[in-house]
Amino acid sequence: MIHPDTELKFINPIVGYGVVATKFIPKGTITWIYDDFDRTFSAEEIMKMKQIYKDILKKYSYRENKGGYVLCWDIARFVNHSFNSNCITTAYNFELAVRDIQAGEELTDDYGYLNVSEPFDCIPEPNSLRTQVLPDDLLNFHEYWDAKLIDAFKYFNKVEQPYLHLIQKEYYDKVIAIADGKAEMDSILKCYCNLKEEVLI
């Protein structure tokens, strides 16, 4: 579920639609969280689907660490890529704002932590030497993303958290302990899926 202070908006003819903040979203805020309406499809389920459904999943889903393909039910599936993303996923099935997001600013993810199965060509960005998202990006950049998340968690208890109650039970106590400075954060590397075979054919 995407943060409530967002809307779907046409960005430009190249990227199409994206998710934009309608109000200020401060650093440390949960910007997206896996909820009961989101759907995870197994490779076996996908292989039995008609091609039209496979194509939708290939475009709009991401792959979680166990190999399943997650399709968000709301506008979260329209979040676009940036090598300098303002949101980063955690090992706890939610994403954090790693810097302040202004009203009117697009929410972005780095697709490098979404377990792509093949290289993904990207629009060049002036603040990055990367031009592609690659299947092994999590292996190469997890320390960089971890550092941003650790810093963002320092603000977790200082900002409004509309989706605090949606944190899954198995993660809740750990997340609160991290936010209180009483536990170490698990690396984003826990999101890595080493099952890289493509099933969406």
Side-chain angles (χ1 to χ4, degrees):
M1 186 179 294
I2 199 72
H3 192 281
D5 295 329
T6 59
E7 65 180 357
L8 186 66
K9 189 173 182 179
F10 185 76
I11 306 301
N12 60 52
I14 297 175
V15 301
Y17 287 87
V19 177
V20 173
T22 58
K23 296 180 182 178
F24 174 71
I25 301 174
K27 180 177 180 177
T29 304
I30 296 173
T31 53
W32 172 85
I33 190 163
Y34 185 93
D35 72 4
D36 290 345
F37 282 172
D38 291 322
R39 174 79 187 274
T40 302
F41 296 88
S42 68
E44 292 75 18
E45 288 177 298
I46 295 170
M47 291 301 291
K48 296 175 183 177
M49 291 180 177
K50 294 180 180 180
Q51 190 62 45
I52 188 171
Y53 300 120
K54 292 180 182 179
D55 292 342
I56 292 171
L57 283 175
K58 187 169 186 178
K59 183 173 183 179
Y60 290 113
S61 69
Y62 72 90
R63 204 167 192 190
E64 45 90 56
N65 61 351
K66 297 177 182 177
Y69 286 79
V70 179
L71 180 65
C72 297
W73 67 272
D74 63 0
I75 63 172
R77 64 185 182 275
F78 291 98
V79 171
N80 287 315
H81 164 81
S82 173
F83 290 123
N84 188 33
S85 66
N86 50 29
C87 303
I88 297 180
T89 196
T90 69
Y92 312 110
N93 259 353
F94 63 78
E95 296 189 355
L96 282 182
V98 293
R99 62 175 182 272
D100 290 343
I101 302 172
Q102 304 299 324
E105 183 180 355
E106 189 177 359
L107 277 67
T108 54
D109 277 327
D110 189 320
Y111 288 4
Y113 45 72
L114 299 182
N115 290 306
V116 299
S117 56
E118 56 190 20
F120 179 87
D121 292 322
C122 302
I123 298 170
E125 296 181 48
N127 56 359
S128 177
L129 297 177
R130 294 165 65 199
T131 59
Q132 284 186 317
V133 171
L134 300 173
D136 60 353
D137 276 349
L138 257 172
L139 298 178
N140 295 318
F141 299 109
H142 65 275
E143 292 180 350
Y144 169 74
W145 292 320
D146 282 347
K148 289 193 170 190
L149 287 169
I150 289 170
D151 186 53
F153 261 115
K154 295 175 183 177
Y155 299 85
F156 191 90
N157 289 335
K158 301 176 182 178
V159 299
E160 183 181 356
Q161 297 289 1
Y163 292 153
L164 185 66
H165 64 291
L166 294 181
I167 296 175
Q168 292 167 301
K169 290 181 180 179
E170 63 263 38
Y171 300 131
Y172 188 87
D173 289 343
K174 181 67 178 286
V175 169
I176 297 303
I178 295 167
D180 287 339
K182 298 177 181 178
E184 291 187 8
M185 184 192 78
D186 293 290
S187 173
I188 192 177
L189 191 57
K190 280 198 168 185
C191 299
Y192 181 67
C193 174
N194 60 8
L195 303 173
K196 290 303 179 187
E197 73 278 5
E198 179 59 79
V199 299
L200 301 177
I201 55 175

